[in-house]
Amino acid sequence: MWAVIPNFDASGQQLDPEEGIQYEAGVKFSFLDDKLNANLAVYDLTKENISETVDGAKALVGTIESQGAEVSLQYQPSFNWQFQAAYAFTEAEVAETTNDDALGNVPGFVPRHSASLLARYNHPEEVLGGLVGMGL
């Protein structure tokens, strides 16, 4: 489900909506009778009409561009055990802005590197009616 949430500037005028375009390509591999799966994806994303609060009011501040790649592995050696690992590399920058000091900087909350690990054991019998499980 999606919703439209308009932003208004200091004079009460509605700001243009944020727009984006994304290109993504990827491949999936399966090995060891589908016990080991690998995914690889690359992407290029541009977001325009980014709004931020400037001096207490919303204002359009520019465009953000990002490119990157993601890889993930899933391994299930048995019915009970499952392991997952993922890594993503993102190169992002403020491409256009009304604030010259921000031009070319990395946008906030966009990590260059991110990773995750998961180990999960599926208990062969329900514990407390299936309410208890565990992952690490």
Side-chain angles (χ1 to χ4, degrees), residues 5 55 91 112 125 127:
I5 303 172
D55 297 327
E91 218 170 52
R112 187 172 182 92
E125 298 176 20
V127 177

Side-chain angles (χ1 to χ4, degrees), residues 107-130:
F109 307 108
V110 181
R112 187 172 182 92
H113 304 277
S114 62
S116 64
L117 293 172
L118 171 73
R120 187 172 89 181
Y121 178 76
N122 299 316
H123 198 275
E125 298 176 20
E126 283 189 359
V127 177
L128 295 176

Side-chain angles (χ1 to χ4, degrees), residues 45 47 63-67 90-96 102-107 110:
L45 172 67
K47 290 171 64 174
T63 300
I64 295 173
E65 295 177 348
S66 61
Q67 303 82 34
T90 302
E91 218 170 52
E93 73 172 354
V94 176
E96 296 176 16
L103 189 62
N105 289 346
V106 176
V110 181

